[in-house]
Amino acid sequence: MKQIYENYTAEDQKVWGILFDRQFPSLPKAATTEFTKGLKLVNFTNEGIPNFEKTNEILLGLTGWEIYAVPGIVEDGLFFELMANKKFPATTWVRKMSQLDYLEEPDMFHDVFAHIPLLTNQAFVDFLQAISQFGHEWIEDDWAIHLLSRIYWYTIEFGLIREEGEVKIYGAGILSSAGETKYSLSDEPNHFEYDVDKILETPYRKDKMQENYFIIESYEQLYNSLPEIKSKIEAKLKQRKEAVV
């Protein structure tokens, strides 16, 4: 499918502007510098919903990625296949004014505002592409996908990063939520150093703010952890098969 830009209503544009203005003031202090830099590179503002075609021209020139329009949440196979090929699946619909504070299914503000700016960072997208290739490879194994989803959840969606001694946000699930932006950096939840073993042993829930967050030191650290992620998931798969036998 395609984004049909002229189909957006005045309310759609207004909702985007409200959500942008709610979140933007907290970003210089709370978000990773790579996110705020990326936000400028892709020209996202409160003045209008991003045009995917124009954004893709920028992304393709920077890291070779592009936004791929989808109707909503896609099944795991397509999700991993798209990102393994540098295509980020993003819905084109925007929440209604009555849904500003809570939404069960991610809309375009989450998919685009929160995810796309970091697609300008090469180490980050190389990590994203690689774990998507793992997912594509393991798609027939539900346990492997379950374990890999914990890596994705605690990095791409709800990851924190330490920059110049301060903890900042890079996870899109936090960056699209004004409430979780404040909460994730507070003393309420648990903060752990990035640890593949611990992440693989830590379940998560989608219906509440997270109890646990993991802090990386750099996007290069994420990328360099890929061999460890692959080997440790493969080891767990082997242990599971041996236990069944």
Side-chain angles (χ1 to χ4, degrees):
M1 63 177 290
K2 292 183 66 175
Q3 180 195 44
I4 305 175
Y5 199 86
E6 56 270 24
N7 284 357
Y8 289 119
T9 65
E11 179 180 333
D12 293 333
Q13 298 286 1
K14 186 175 182 179
V15 166
W16 172 273
I18 290 171
L19 292 171
F20 191 102
D21 286 340
R22 274 187 175 188
Q23 196 65 350
F24 187 76
S26 66
L27 295 181
K29 183 177 181 181
T32 170
T33 55
E34 288 301 305
F35 180 84
T36 52
K37 185 192 302 182
L39 204 61
K40 293 178 181 177
L41 286 171
V42 294
N43 296 324
F44 287 179
T45 72
N46 63 349
E47 295 179 1
I49 292 169
N51 183 303
F52 287 7
E53 288 187 6
K54 293 179 180 178
T55 303
N56 283 345
E57 290 177 6
I58 298 168
L59 288 176
L60 285 166
L62 291 171
T63 58
W65 277 67
E66 60 183 320
I67 306 170
Y68 186 91
V70 294
I73 295 174
V74 297
E75 53 89 22
D76 288 343
L78 178 59
F79 180 75
F80 288 124
E81 180 182 355
L82 287 171
M83 293 201 297
N85 289 286
K86 302 182 180 181
K87 298 179 187 297
F88 192 89
T91 188
T92 61
W93 65 276
V94 185
R95 71 191 74 181
K96 299 300 181 184
M97 196 71 72
S98 60
Q99 300 170 307
L100 287 176
D101 295 315
Y102 179 74
L103 196 68
E104 287 189 15
E105 182 180 348
D107 70 340
M108 192 184 70
F109 186 76
H110 169 82
D111 288 350
V112 177
F113 174 86
H115 276 288
I116 301 307
L118 269 180
L119 297 187
T120 61
N121 179 280
Q122 193 64 56
F124 179 84
V125 293
D126 287 347
F127 172 78
L128 181 57
Q129 182 181 20
I131 62 171
S132 299
Q133 289 169 340
F134 294 165
H136 188 56
E137 176 185 341
W138 294 329
I139 196 61
E140 300 300 326
D141 191 317
D142 290 343
W143 182 242
I145 297 302
H146 176 72
L147 292 173
L148 189 62
S149 73
R150 293 181 178 179
I151 299 292
Y152 186 91
W153 188 263
Y154 286 117
T155 58
I156 305 301
E157 289 291 351
F158 289 92
L160 301 177
I161 184 170
R162 185 174 288 105
E163 294 178 341
E164 298 183 355
E166 293 188 19
V167 177
K168 300 290 186 77
I169 301 162
Y170 72 92
I174 310 174
L175 290 169
S176 60
S177 166
E180 193 138 9
T181 292
K182 183 178 180 180
Y183 169 81
S184 68
L185 299 178
S186 74
D187 294 330
E188 291 186 59
N190 301 313
H191 293 111
F192 301 103
E193 299 303 308
Y194 180 67
D195 183 322
V196 172
D197 279 322
K198 188 168 183 63
I199 290 175
L200 291 175
E201 295 295 332
T202 305
Y204 61 85
R205 288 177 59 176
K206 297 182 178 180
D207 61 342
K208 56 183 291 189
M209 290 190 186
Q210 303 305 299
E211 295 179 359
N212 306 297
Y213 298 94
F214 292 85
I215 306 167
I216 61 172
E217 296 296 328
S218 68
Y219 299 108
E220 288 71 23
Q221 180 188 17
L222 269 187
Y223 180 76
N224 291 335
S225 72
L226 286 166
E228 182 184 9
I229 291 170
K230 194 169 196 295
S231 66
K232 288 188 172 174
I233 290 180
E234 287 176 340
K236 287 183 177 294
L237 297 179
K238 184 178 178 182
Q239 289 171 2
R240 190 177 177 86
K241 289 179 182 177
E242 290 174 347
V244 171
V245 174

